[in-house]
């Protein structure tokens, strides 16, 4: 980090053990998710960092093998801010992020949407695709994931977009 304007030396924000693999910021810019990966061991780690605190330490969110589809926690949901930049989607109280994933299981892929509490690091499943459909989350439409857009298909039904309300079993075809 380098404060502008200044002639002071840059300050290190964080250092990875493995190769740096990406950084995603929140709208406020005080919280970020960063990743590191190690190709030889196939390890992938994801951390949460609070840059508002000068003595903050990274918090490990996920430590897994990059090829382990059964334990994949999903990808963080992002949104576009007023400046046109992609930022992490946060809940209206700023205490949660959202994850969407393919949900690999012994029964096949069952895509999901989860809410991750940034204080406890626990997740709550908000949605999971159910038989006989393959339904994946395309977009979260509001800060608290009360409404979201999915793409749903089955052996007999072609892909179609659906509007879903959190907690409701039925969806509206668009």
């Amino acid at each position: 980090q380098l404060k502008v304007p200044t002639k002071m030396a840059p300050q290190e924000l964080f250092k990875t053990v493995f190769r740096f693999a990406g950084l995603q910021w929140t709208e406020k810019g005080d919280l970020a998710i960063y990743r590191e990966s190690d190709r030889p061991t196939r390890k992938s780690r994801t951390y949460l960092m609070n840059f508002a605190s000068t003595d903050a330490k990274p918090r490990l969110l996920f430590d897994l093998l990059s090829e382990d589809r059964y334990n994949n926690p999903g990808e963080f949901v992002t949104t576009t801010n007023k400046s046109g930049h992609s930022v992490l989607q946060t809940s209206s109280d700023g205490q949660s992020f959202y994850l969407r994933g393919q949900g690999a299981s012994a029964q096949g892929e069952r895509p999901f949407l989860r809410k991750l509490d940034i204080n406890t690091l626990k997740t709550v499943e908000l949605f999971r695709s159910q038989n006989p459909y393959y339904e994946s989350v395309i977009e979260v439409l509001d800060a608290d994931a009360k409404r979201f857009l999915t793409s749903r298909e089955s052996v007999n039904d072609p892909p179609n977009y659906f509007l879903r309300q959190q907690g409701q079993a039925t969806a509206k075809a668009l």
Side-chain angles (χ1 to χ4, degrees), residues 53-114:
S53 174
T54 56
D55 61 342
K57 303 262 188 276
R59 294 175 65 196
L60 181 65
L61 295 177
F62 311 119
D63 183 4
L64 25 104
L65 296 173
S66 58
E67 297 170 351
D68 183 359
R69 297 186 62 218
Y70 289 106
N71 293 308
N72 188 323
E75 296 180 0
F76 286 93
V77 174
T78 60
T79 188
T80 304
N81 67 10
K82 293 176 187 172
S83 302
H85 295 97
S86 179
V87 294
L88 290 164
Q89 174 82 42
T90 57
S91 59
S92 59
D93 64 4
Q95 300 303 303
S96 300
F97 296 134
Y98 299 99
L99 296 156
R100 65 176 160 213
Q102 294 305 308
S105 72
Q107 295 78 35
E109 289 192 352
R110 297 284 171 239
F112 61 81
L113 176 65
R114 294 180 180 150

Side-chain angles (χ1 to χ4, degrees), residues 90-152:
T90 57
S91 59
S92 59
D93 64 4
Q95 300 303 303
S96 300
F97 296 134
Y98 299 99
L99 296 156
R100 65 176 160 213
Q102 294 305 308
S105 72
Q107 295 78 35
E109 289 192 352
R110 297 284 171 239
F112 61 81
L113 176 65
R114 294 180 180 150
K115 183 177 185 177
L116 170 71
D117 184 300
I118 63 174
N119 297 307
T120 65
L121 304 184
K122 297 202 183 303
T123 60
V124 174
E125 194 160 280
L126 303 176
F127 169 79
R128 182 169 290 269
S129 180
Q130 299 295 318
N131 276 333
Y133 302 106
Y134 177 84
E135 187 171 7
S136 58
V137 176
I138 303 299
E139 191 76 31
V140 173
L141 301 174
D142 58 69
D144 292 315
K146 298 286 185 205
R147 298 179 327 124
F148 50 96
L149 184 67
T150 64
S151 174
R152 183 170 86 183

Side-chain angles (χ1 to χ4, degrees), residues 2-78:
L2 181 63
K3 296 193 190 290
V4 177
T6 185
K7 295 189 188 280
M8 296 176 67
Q11 174 188 354
E12 184 178 281
L13 292 176
F14 64 89
K15 189 172 189 168
T16 62
V17 175
F18 300 142
R19 184 175 292 229
F20 176 74
L23 177 71
Q24 292 176 290
W25 293 95
T26 59
E27 174 67 23
K28 289 175 49 180
D30 55 351
L31 287 176
I33 300 293
Y34 73 89
R35 287 173 216 71
E36 64 179 3
S37 63
D38 183 49
R39 178 176 252 165
T41 62
R42 302 288 193 248
K43 294 275 279 177
S44 175
R45 294 180 182 151
T46 304
Y47 297 88
L48 171 65
M49 185 72 174
N50 184 348
F51 290 98
S53 174
T54 56
D55 61 342
K57 303 262 188 276
R59 294 175 65 196
L60 181 65
L61 295 177
F62 311 119
D63 183 4
L64 25 104
L65 296 173
S66 58
E67 297 170 351
D68 183 359
R69 297 186 62 218
Y70 289 106
N71 293 308
N72 188 323
E75 296 180 0
F76 286 93
V77 174
T78 60

